[in-house]
């Protein structure tokens, strides 16, 4: 094993990254002036008088997100048009100058409070690109303005789990050129909200590289540090509002973390992926898209590929002009949550007996079926490969197996296979690559009592903290392709 592979195996997540990863699935809310002008990228010149949701109810948003199984919500406090959903002291372009709640409203407050009431995390999206603010392009002045806005959001609304910085910027060759002071933004966030992750144009959570919901088949959390380069993230981000970007994905850099990919790299970081996409074609609400809410089947696919593929899933659901999540979206979110709850309700391995080809003392194989995820199994040093066998006690019918590494020790498994005992011999039925925080294996239904997990390649030695077996909900099977 080369030094760089050993180094890769020793890189571990920060506490804040672990807490974020454990959320797994959370929602995005694109809401603002664009909701009322039927646009995606407002120009920053729309009259604040147009912002007037008639029935805004943030509890309804939170209820819908919880119904889907989401554990957090990120709100577009300011999108590219510069209109602020809170009464910012630093610009007049905000809710205070709208007729909504007679200019006394604060959407950020209402949503932050609703999240707390509902027991989910609250996060903020603040667009660096600002088409309204006159100081944009006058770098120092705008950086100060942006820091002031950040401070307002980071101090007045309780705990924030995520600050999401978008790399999009549509300024053309003759447009304004703003040099963002990212380091100052990050320092302020660390000072005021040390537990918050900084996502996308930030060091903690990596943008998966597209907005279509596509996730790499082997999504490594340990990747070259160069991927944190904000300039590069911006280059790959959206530059024109042509309605196409959110449907594209590129697989040209499909491999970011394999031995091949990190060969020759000197600097590696823990930079786990997030998949962000919208439940509708647009990020903002457009009545014309009421019948284009993604199908349950599509959402399940994205869920399995992201949450089940060592990434997090950030699903955007835009409220309408009333300030409510539309009935069609609520219905889909509820179906999604019901399906996932049903599928993952009964772990058929919960009473299983586990043995391993090799174990380090204190890291017994039985640890992999404990639910609390406080312990794990590992072999002794020198064992890059290992075999674990699970006896479920009786034969069960199943079609999902959930695996999880103990990521506090790093990400190490490079390939594995699953077999079952058919009465005579072991028969292989699934082959996979990485595991990471969570890998959900999907396969056609089968019946077996004994299962075998073979870790065929790993870095230094593998760890495993989770092994669960499920039979998917009937609803899900009906939808399966
Ligand atoms: C993009 C933006 O341009 C879209 O409007 C949206 O906010 C999406 C999440 O990021 O880059």
């Amino acid at each position: 094993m080369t030094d760089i592979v050993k180094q890769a195996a020793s890189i571990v997540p920060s506490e804040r990254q672990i807490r974020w990863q454990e959320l797994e699935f959370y929602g995005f809310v694109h809401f603002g002036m664009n909701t009322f002008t039927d646009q995606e990228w407002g120009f920053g010149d729309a009259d604040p008088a147009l912002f007037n949701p008639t029935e805004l109810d943030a509890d309804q948003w939170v209820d819908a997100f919880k119904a889907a199984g989401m554990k957090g919500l990120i709100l577009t406090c300011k999108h590219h048009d510069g209109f602020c959903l809170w009464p910012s002291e630093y610009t007049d372009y905000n809710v205070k100058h709208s007729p909504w709640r007679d200019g006394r409203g604060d959407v950020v407050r209402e949503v932050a409070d609703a999240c707390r009431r509902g027991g989910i995390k609250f996060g903020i999206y603040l667009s660096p690109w600002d088409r309204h603010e006159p100081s944009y392009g006058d770098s120092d002045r705008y950086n100060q303005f942006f820091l002031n806005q950040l401070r307002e959001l980071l101090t007045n609304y309780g705990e924030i789990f995520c600050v999401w910085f978008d790399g999009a910027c549509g300024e053309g060759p003759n447009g304004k050129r703003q040099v963002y002071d990212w380091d100052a933004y990050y320092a302020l966030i660390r000072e005021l909200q040390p537990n918050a992750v900084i996502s996308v144009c930030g060091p903690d959570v990596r943008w998966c590289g597209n907005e279509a919901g596509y996730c790499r088949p082997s999504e490594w959390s340990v990747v070259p540090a160069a991927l944190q380069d904000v300039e590069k993230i911006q280059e790959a981000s959206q530059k024109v509002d042509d309605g196409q970007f959110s449907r594209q994905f590129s697989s040209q850099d499909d491999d970011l973390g394999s031995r091949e990919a990190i060969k020759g790299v000197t600097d590696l970081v823990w930079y786990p992926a997030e998949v962000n996409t919208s439940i509708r074609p647009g990020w903002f609400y457009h009545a014309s898209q009421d019948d284009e809410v993604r199908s349950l089947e599509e959402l399940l696919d994205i869920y399995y590929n992201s949450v089940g593929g060592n990434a997090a899933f950030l699903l955007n659901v835009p409220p309408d002009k009333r300030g409510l999540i539309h009935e069609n979206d609520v219905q889909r979110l509820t179906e999604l949550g019901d399906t996932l709850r049903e599928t993952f309700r009964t772990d058929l391995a919960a009473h299983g007996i586990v043995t391993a080809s090799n174990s380090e003392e204190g890291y017994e194989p039985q640890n992999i079926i404990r639910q609390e995820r406080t312990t794990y199994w590992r072999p002794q040093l020198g064992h890059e490969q290992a075999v674990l066998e699970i006896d479920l006690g009786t034969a069960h019918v199943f079609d999902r197996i959930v695996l999880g590494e103990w990521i506090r020790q790093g990400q190490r498994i490079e390939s594995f296979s699953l077999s079952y005992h058919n009465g005579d011999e072991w028969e292989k039925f699934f082959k996979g690559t990485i595991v990471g925080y969570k890998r959900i294996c999907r396969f056609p239904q089968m019946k077996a009592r004994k299962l075998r997990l073979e870790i065929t390649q790993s870095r230094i030695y593998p760890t495993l903290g989770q092994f669960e077996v499920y039979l998917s909900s009937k609803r899900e099977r009906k939808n399966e392709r």
Side-chain angles (χ1 to χ4, degrees):
M1 195 182 305
T2 61
D3 285 353
I4 191 70
V5 177
K6 279 194 204 139
Q7 192 193 316
S10 315
I11 293 179
V12 296
S14 63
E15 270 306 312
R16 69 168 79 85
Q17 285 172 317
I18 292 173
R19 272 194 294 270
W20 159 83
Q21 187 103 52
E22 285 170 352
L23 294 178
E24 301 187 355
F25 180 30
Y26 42 92
F28 222 167
V29 172
H30 276 66
F31 184 66
M33 190 59 88
N34 294 335
T35 313
F36 298 88
T37 56
D38 210 11
Q39 282 171 308
E40 276 294 310
W41 277 10
F43 293 98
D45 56 359
D47 187 342
L50 294 172
F51 183 87
N52 198 13
T54 46
E55 299 170 49
L56 191 142
D57 179 0
D59 290 309
Q60 189 252 5
W61 307 2
V62 170
D63 287 346
F65 281 24
K66 284 171 68 178
M70 296 177 181
K71 298 196 193 114
L73 180 163
I74 301 174
L75 173 68
T76 54
C77 301
K78 174 183 91 166
H79 201 251
H80 312 324
D81 64 348
F83 185 75
C84 299
L85 294 184
W86 79 103
S88 174
E89 265 185 46
Y90 301 95
T91 175
D92 285 342
Y93 203 46
N94 71 47
V95 280
K96 198 166 155 188
H97 301 275
S98 80
W100 178 63
R101 307 238 193 279
D102 296 323
R104 284 192 289 273
D106 181 343
V107 184
V108 180
R109 163 113 25 242
E110 293 193 18
V111 179
D113 289 351
C115 286
R116 251 174 291 283
R117 271 195 297 279
I120 65 172
K121 304 274 182 200
F122 175 64
I124 59 169
Y125 165 112
L126 187 68
S127 170
W129 183 35
D130 188 323
R131 293 176 121 175
H132 178 87
E133 169 55 28
S135 68
Y136 185 86
D138 183 349
S139 294
D140 291 348
R141 267 179 62 218
Y142 180 76
N143 282 327
Q144 193 49 57
F145 168 82
F146 192 76
L147 283 167
N148 290 340
Q149 292 202 318
L150 255 185
R151 184 177 285 277
E152 289 183 312
L153 293 171
L154 297 172
T155 47
N156 293 331
Y157 300 95
E159 203 190 318
I160 306 279
F161 85 95
C162 165
V163 179
W164 210 96
F165 283 144
D166 197 333
C169 179
E171 299 292 331
N174 302 320
K176 297 178 179 176
R177 287 205 43 162
Q178 168 69 33
V179 181
Y180 301 118
D181 190 352
W182 295 107
D183 289 341
Y185 309 164
Y186 301 162
L188 190 70
I189 297 166
R190 294 293 195 237
E191 177 199 327
L192 300 173
Q193 296 276 350
N195 296 330
V197 287
I198 311 174
S199 302
V200 183
C201 284
D204 301 317
V205 175
R206 174 167 53 87
W207 180 43
C208 63
N210 68 87
E211 296 179 351
Y214 171 79
C215 185
R216 291 172 186 79
S218 303
E219 198 61 84
W220 282 93
S221 294
V222 178
V223 293
L227 285 166
Q228 286 173 323
D229 184 338
V230 182
E231 295 286 315
K232 295 219 176 66
I233 300 166
Q234 284 177 296
E235 265 165 43
S237 297
Q238 193 175 356
K239 292 184 187 65
V240 281
D241 176 23
D242 61 1
Q244 290 306 307
F245 190 76
S246 65
R247 287 288 176 263
Q248 298 166 5
F249 66 82
S250 131
S251 55
Q252 64 206 28
D253 42 7
D254 234 5
D255 180 9
L256 303 177
S258 73
R259 290 183 189 217
E260 194 52 39
I262 60 174
K263 199 163 65 189
V265 174
T266 48
D267 208 5
L268 295 166
V269 283
W270 189 273
Y271 198 29
E274 177 188 79
V275 170
N276 69 310
T277 196
S278 184
I279 198 165
R280 290 160 172 252
W283 290 98
F284 285 89
Y285 176 83
H286 309 287
S288 61
Q289 298 178 349
D290 281 349
D291 295 325
E292 295 183 72
V293 176
R294 282 191 200 255
S295 66
L296 175 61
E297 178 192 14
E298 235 183 308
L299 292 173
L300 282 168
D301 267 345
I302 302 173
Y303 180 90
Y304 278 111
N305 292 335
S306 55
V307 175
N310 191 38
F313 182 14
L314 171 57
L315 177 64
N316 179 65
V317 189
D320 60 19
K321 287 187 182 187
R322 295 170 300 176
L324 295 175
I325 298 201
H326 189 272
E327 291 73 1
N328 294 358
D329 307 61
V330 172
Q331 191 193 332
R332 193 53 39 78
L333 291 175
T334 311
E335 285 168 8
L336 177 62
D338 285 348
T339 307
L340 292 172
R341 277 184 290 273
E342 223 170 283
T343 293
F344 296 105
R345 182 172 301 143
T346 312
D347 175 10
L348 303 169
H351 305 291
I353 304 295
V354 192
T355 52
S357 54
N358 181 280
S359 303
E360 173 69 301
E361 216 189 307
Y363 300 89
E364 316 309 335
Q366 198 61 29
N367 291 345
I368 67 171
I369 46 177
R370 296 220 181 102
Q371 297 294 310
E372 314 90 61
R373 300 197 88 184
T374 50
T375 49
Y376 63 102
W377 160 86
R378 55 157 280 200
Q380 291 162 310
L381 194 62
H383 292 259
E384 289 168 28
Q385 294 159 344
V387 178
L388 291 152
E389 284 177 15
I390 295 98
D391 182 344
L392 302 178
T394 68
H396 284 289
V397 178
F398 55 88
D399 55 9
R400 304 281 182 267
I401 288 184
V402 182
L403 304 174
E405 283 180 67
W406 188 256
I407 57 165
R408 286 171 193 274
Q409 280 280 320
Q411 185 182 357
R412 293 166 171 225
I413 297 176
E414 295 174 307
S415 62
F416 69 93
S417 67
L418 291 164
S419 311
Y420 74 101
H421 203 269
N422 66 11
D424 294 320
E425 56 183 359
W426 290 104
E427 223 173 283
K428 209 167 275 180
F429 66 90
F430 190 92
K431 276 174 86 165
T433 55
I434 62 107
V435 173
Y437 168 75
K438 193 180 246 193
R439 160 69 70 192
I440 308 178
C441 310
R442 278 200 288 182
F443 43 85
Q445 256 186 51
M446 63 166 54
K447 190 172 180 181
R449 171 176 167 173
K450 289 184 180 169
L451 287 164
R452 178 186 256 190
L453 167 67
E454 201 173 333
I455 298 168
T456 42
Q457 200 181 353
S458 79
R459 298 172 177 181
I460 306 183
Y461 59 79
T463 70
L464 204 73
Q466 191 177 13
F467 186 102
E468 295 163 12
V469 178
Y470 298 98
L471 174 62
S472 63
S473 121
K474 281 204 190 78
R475 195 197 302 255
E476 194 174 332
R477 270 173 272 149
K478 199 179 73 210
N479 273 289
E480 216 147 72
R481 272 187 272 209

